[in-house]
Amino acid sequence: RVLKSLPKDMRLQILETRIEQDRLHLVGHVRVHSDAERIAAALREQGLDVPQPTTHQQDKREIEFRISGRLPAPVNSETGGPS
């Protein structure tokens, strides 16, 4: 569900996706720095707590981005939620 929420009207390449406990880590390439923020915003709309992504100019055509975020707690978790 998380990856399906990514913007479909931009060119992007996902190089790494990791989920560790309650954390999501994405590394990939986009064409402009603002596309990384659009990806982060799309993840926020899915309920993830995502800070500003980090970006780095790889070459004239690619920007590497790194996004880390906290996944939302399950609705029926042991720490709260309806029983």
Side-chain angles (χ1 to χ4, degrees):
R1 178 177 92 178
V2 170
L3 294 178
K4 286 183 178 183
S5 71
L6 299 179
K8 294 170 184 36
D9 63 341
M10 76 168 65
R11 183 174 175 181
L12 69 113
Q13 180 181 22
I14 302 293
L15 302 175
E16 179 181 346
T17 304
R18 286 184 296 133
I19 297 176
E20 298 172 336
Q21 296 180 2
D22 64 343
R23 303 287 302 174
L24 170 72
H25 305 277
L26 289 178
V27 178
H29 291 156
V30 290
R31 290 190 173 196
V32 295
H33 293 275
S34 61
D35 284 348
E37 179 52 43
R38 286 184 59 207
I39 293 168
L43 295 172
R44 288 182 200 114
E45 288 177 7
Q46 293 298 313
L48 278 78
D49 179 16
V50 179
Q52 184 79 20
T54 59
T55 58
H56 175 74
Q57 184 83 39
Q58 291 291 99
D59 58 35
K60 291 183 180 181
R61 298 184 330 164
E62 287 186 331
I63 309 291
E64 180 182 271
F65 69 87
R66 294 180 179 270
I67 296 174
S68 295
R70 186 172 303 279
L71 297 168
V75 174
N76 293 320
S77 71
E78 293 180 5
T79 58
S83 12

